[in-house]
Amino acid sequence: MKRIVSVLLILFLLLGCTVETVSSAVDFACDTVVTIRAYTDQRTVDDAMRLIRDYERVLSKTVQGSDVWNLNHANGEPVTVDPETAQLLQLCQEIGERSEGAFDVTIAPLSALWDFTAEQPSLPDAKRLSEAATAVDWRNISIDGNTVTLRNGAQIDLGGIAKGYIADRVAAFLKDRGVRCACINMGGNVVVFGGKPDGSAWTIGIRDPQGTAEQSEEILSLKDGAVVTSGNYERFFELDGVRYHHILDPKTGMPVDNGVASVTIEADCSALADALSTACFVLGPEASKSIVTHYDVRAIFLMTDDTRVELP
Ligand code: ADP
Ligand code: MG
């Protein structure tokens, strides 16, 4: 009897030592709903959420005093930015070049002319759009260490990459704190690591572009990595039966209308996946082949005619 009790006690202690709990937090940040689930204590998850807001204060174009705000209000003068901002802008330039300008982080003068959430949305003036388009060129960003200069009236908008970048940083933060597994979801920008606590893969749904937010067209299983979707249903309005959504052709400033409804990118790095989801949306399946191969990612295109294209 004594032996049984001591064996049970040892078992109990062993289990007690390894039992961690899943903690989670939900908040509205970076203009979207953020969910963090991690196999750790609540404090660590709350710290991770705070980290997101710290990054938002640096990368948002609307927060006064952020790096992006400072750059956009510097009238072409050099601005000293956070080393991480400089690095992120470098990645933006690289993807700008690789996508032949389909992803262009200097889209700000164009995106500023659209208000997709207005109560009575309207189309921007065509002349203003074509004028604004002349300032859009990622080559107008000069980076020298932590000093960034925007030339020729360029302004930046990190909306196509910031959430992906921040999700990567949150995953790194959690790993640094010794967390074994987690799932970070920033409005469809998902990063997972370590699988679920029971060892199985995380499941990530790709939304049916014709359905509601809850309807998945397909489900991906992943233990480690990032899955990011850009869709024509995220931010849009409809006027006279035409849908105007927030992914813009940098050359015209008009919403991309090429038969793509959504692009999902699966990659190791979520900043890359985020930027590529936007780039591939603009490029369409055929023209995306070389960039998908170059970065060694997987791309799933759901088209407006209900067909599906997967690359590579
Ligand atoms: P979401 O913000 O819904 O995750 P995306 O990652 O596709 O979707 O990013 C869209 C945002 O990126 C827009 O709201 C705008 O700020 C910016 N953007 C729009 N078109 C482009 C483009 N061609 N290149 C870079 N950024 C873009
Ligand atoms: Mg994107």
Side-chain angles (χ1 to χ4, degrees), residues 16 42 73 85 127 167 221 256 284 286 310:
Q42 191 61 41
H73 290 83
T85 306
K127 196 162 155 266
S221 294
V256 174
E286 195 51 41
E310 184 167 339

Side-chain angles (χ1 to χ4, degrees), residues 102-104 107 157 159-160 163 230 234 246-248 250 274 278 282:
F103 178 84
D104 197 319
I107 197 94
D157 171 357
K163 279 180 286 176
S230 282
E234 291 290 353
H246 73 319
I247 301 165
L248 305 176
D274 193 3
T278 308
V282 178

